[in-house]
């Protein structure tokens, strides 16, 4: 028997286990949910259940030059979007290894594939166990909205204009960097010693 839990932020993040869902409202009024997908030491990786209701380009220009670190989507997530998070959530978020408050998942984390869409021993080891099914990759536009393509942070290795994506069926695909697609933010919650708001 499987039991689906959801918790409110009245509970401490220490209580989170993989599969738990937290719900909160952005300062824009948009309601969102995020699922705990992987514990890493004293932090829990969370991934939005659905995309934000607004679509965004990965880059205004049709290029993947500079990859995730130089992308417009990274900048938007770590300014406009993070600034819309309520303090009750922000105080528990810790930066990732790139110094980001919010980020997108990689193709390795979601599919266990390389950015060339090959499965290797190394890439397969990076897949997050909670994301083994295509159903777990499907996202709506806004909470429970129509299904939408959404971005992954990995540049597609075979074309300088493309980034990896997830299609409406939850399968791996790729596309030009400039069209607007869904953003499903990921972030780390400290499960001890909450930080100050950014």
């Amino acid at each position: 028997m499987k039991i689906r839990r959801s918790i409110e932020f009245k509970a401490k993040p220490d209580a989170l286990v993989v599969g738990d869902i937290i719900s909160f409202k952005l300062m824009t009024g948009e309601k969102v949910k995020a699922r705990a997908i992987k514990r890493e030491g004293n932090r829990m990786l969370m991934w939005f259940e659905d995309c934000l209701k607004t679509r965004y380009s990965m880059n205004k220009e049709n290029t993947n030059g500079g990859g995730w670190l130089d992308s417009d989507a990274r900048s938007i997530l770590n300014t406009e979007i993070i600034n819309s998070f309520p303090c009750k959530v922000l105080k528990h978020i810790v930066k990732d290894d790139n110094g980001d408050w919010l980020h997108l998942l990689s193709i390795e984390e979601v599919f266990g594939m390389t950015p060339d869409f090959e499965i290797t021993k190394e890439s397969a080891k990076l897949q997050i166990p909670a994301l083994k099914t295509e159903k777990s990759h499907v996202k709506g536009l806004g909470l429970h909205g129509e299904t939408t393509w959404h971005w992954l942070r990995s540049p597609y290795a075979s074309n300088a204009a493309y980034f990896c994506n997830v299609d409406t069926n939850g399968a791996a695909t790729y596309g030009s960097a400039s069209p607007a697609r869904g953003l499903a933010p990921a972030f780390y919650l400290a499960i001890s010693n909450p930080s100050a708001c950014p």
Side-chain angles (χ1 to χ4, degrees):
M1 176 187 307
K2 292 185 178 178
I3 299 172
R4 179 173 172 162
R5 298 197 317 165
S6 62
I7 67 169
E8 298 181 11
F9 251 97
K10 293 175 184 174
K12 293 183 179 181
D14 293 11
L16 281 172
V17 297
V18 170
D20 283 349
I21 298 170
I22 62 169
S23 303
F24 56 96
K25 188 187 290 188
L26 302 178
M27 286 195 260
T28 59
E30 182 174 357
K31 293 179 180 179
V32 298
K33 292 183 178 183
R35 179 184 297 270
I37 59 171
K38 184 181 181 184
R39 180 168 180 162
E40 297 179 9
N42 65 350
R43 62 186 189 175
M44 182 69 76
L45 180 59
M46 309 295 296
W47 194 28
F48 270 36
E49 283 284 89
D50 287 303
C51 296
L52 295 163
K53 65 182 179 182
T54 301
R55 291 185 172 99
Y56 295 89
S57 298
M58 182 61 79
N59 282 318
K60 292 174 188 172
E61 302 297 325
N62 199 26
T63 177
N64 65 20
W68 166 249
L69 295 179
D70 289 339
S71 68
D72 294 335
R74 179 187 184 219
S75 177
I76 288 166
L77 282 169
N78 286 283
T79 55
E80 175 186 331
I81 307 303
I82 192 64
N83 289 334
S84 71
F85 272 50
C87 194
K88 69 179 180 178
V89 179
L90 280 175
K91 70 181 181 179
H92 296 284
I93 295 179
V94 291
K95 290 184 178 181
D96 70 8
D97 297 338
N98 289 321
D100 294 336
W101 296 106
L102 300 176
H103 63 279
L104 299 178
L105 295 183
S106 69
I107 191 166
E108 293 92 346
E109 291 171 309
V110 177
F111 294 100
M113 297 177 179
T114 70
D116 271 326
F117 285 59
E118 294 181 47
I119 297 176
T120 66
K121 286 182 181 178
E122 293 75 23
S123 66
K125 288 177 187 174
L126 296 174
Q127 186 178 27
I128 296 169
L131 304 181
K132 296 264 186 196
T133 64
E134 288 189 345
K135 183 179 178 182
S136 66
H137 313 152
V138 175
K139 305 288 180 192
L141 189 65
L143 193 59
H144 309 303
E146 63 180 272
T147 56
T148 185
W149 281 39
H150 60 94
W151 293 111
L152 298 175
R153 72 170 183 260
S154 307
Y156 179 56
S158 299
N159 189 305
Y162 291 176
F163 272 84
C164 298
N165 293 254
V166 180
D167 71 15
T168 54
N169 295 313
T173 187
Y174 52 84
S176 300
S178 58
R181 305 194 193 286
L183 284 185
F187 56 94
Y188 285 100
L189 286 181
I191 47 182
S192 61
N193 302 323
S195 63
C197 291

